[in-house]
Amino acid sequence: AAGVIQSPRHLIKEKRETATLKCYPIPRHDTVYWYQQGPGQDPQFLISFYEKMQSDKGSIPDRFSAQQFSDYHSELNMSSLELGDSALYFCASSLREFRGPSGELFFGEGSRLTVL
Amino acid sequence: GESVGLHLPTLSVQEGDNSIINCAYSNSASDYFIWYKQESGKGPQFIIDIRSNMDKRQGQRVTVLLNKTVKHLSLQIAATQPGDSAVYFCAENIRGGSEKLVFGKGTKLTVNP
């Protein structure tokens, strides 16, 4: 079965550079979530989109922005990168109408960003 | 405020034993809870969920217990196998509110053969 696809899987950048992470949700899923997970930390919610509109916002720095496109894929743009941005970035998708008794989010394998 | 935490950061069990992983939450408005399993270098994988109108739910080899009185959630894994070794997170959500899941601190489960 198709899963959430994230790219790139690994990314190395230097301080003050920019990075773009991409997420391709499971086909027909209409909601995308971005999470950041630092080493040994729990995933922290950054932002979510439903039907191409931002639906919720968490602890996302102002240096970061994201959007969901007409084909439902999403991109997370990170600028002026800092050492502390080094983390695993997960994308998850769901189908909102099925977020009923089992509101499962399906996670991708993550993109590991290393800022040097 | 919204926060979910775990009592123990690590748990080591013998293969075949039952494992119990605990989670405490503080937001009394949370009404939906999920347990995720995360293997090294991979994304969180759904294990089981429970709504606040239930106090127990069983899956294959796993059981989730919810005690709303003390805001406590637990995951029981029966006959733990080496493949169960991973970090386990509980997450909470307020249905009808924000869609986001709030994750607690993970518990690293190690199953010894």
Side-chain angles (χ1 to χ4, degrees), chain A residues 9 31 33 35 37 41-43 45 48 50 55-56 88 90 96 99-105 107-109, chain B residues 32 34 36 38 41-46 49-51 57 89 93 95 97-106:
Chain A
R9 291 296 310 278
T31 308
Y33 312 78
Y35 281 81
Q37 186 177 29
Q41 302 296 313
D42 55 287
F45 173 75
S48 63
Y50 168 66
S55 59
D56 199 358
L88 267 172
F90 289 105
R96 178 174 278 199
R99 287 209 70 195
S102 180
E104 182 175 354
L105 268 64
F107 282 82
E109 294 299 304
Chain B
Y32 179 60
I34 308 176
Y36 279 92
Q38 187 176 26
K42 295 188 176 181
Q45 179 184 1
F46 175 91
D49 60 359
I50 189 168
R51 298 187 68 180
R57 193 170 186 210
F89 292 96
N93 176 246
R95 298 197 66 76
S98 166
E99 291 183 331
K100 68 182 181 184
L101 289 177
V102 177
F103 282 81
K105 297 293 185 282

Side-chain angles (χ1 to χ4, degrees), chain A residues 17-31:
Chain A
E17 286 191 318
T18 61
T20 298
L21 305 181
K22 297 184 178 182
C23 169
Y24 297 86
I26 291 172
R28 296 194 303 114
H29 279 194
D30 53 19
T31 308

Side-chain angles (χ1 to χ4, degrees), chain B residues 55-71:
Chain B
D55 53 20
K56 180 179 181 179
R57 193 170 186 210
Q58 288 184 294
Q60 186 177 14
R61 283 202 307 119
V62 294
T63 301
V64 55
L65 299 177
L66 175 62
N67 185 330
K68 295 180 288 294
T69 302
V70 295
K71 298 191 187 72

Side-chain angles (χ1 to χ4, degrees), chain B residues 7 21-33 35 50-57 63-76 92:
Chain B
H7 294 301
I21 300 172
N22 296 304
C23 175
Y25 65 96
S26 61
N27 192 339
S28 57
S30 294
D31 58 2
Y32 179 60
F33 305 88
W35 280 101
I50 189 168
R51 298 187 68 180
S52 59
N53 60 353
M54 304 170 68
D55 53 20
K56 180 179 181 179
R57 193 170 186 210
T63 301
V64 55
L65 299 177
L66 175 62
N67 185 330
K68 295 180 288 294
T69 302
V70 295
K71 298 191 187 72
H72 184 267
L73 193 68
S74 69
L75 176 69
Q76 300 179 357
E92 63 177 324

Side-chain angles (χ1 to χ4, degrees), chain A residues 37-67:
Chain A
Q37 186 177 29
Q41 302 296 313
D42 55 287
Q44 294 290 320
F45 173 75
L46 293 178
I47 196 167
S48 63
F49 293 88
Y50 168 66
E51 285 292 345
K52 293 152 281 184
M53 298 289 290
Q54 180 180 310
S55 59
D56 199 358
K57 194 172 182 179
S59 51
I60 184 169
D62 291 341
R63 299 176 290 107
F64 292 10
S65 65
Q67 58 182 323

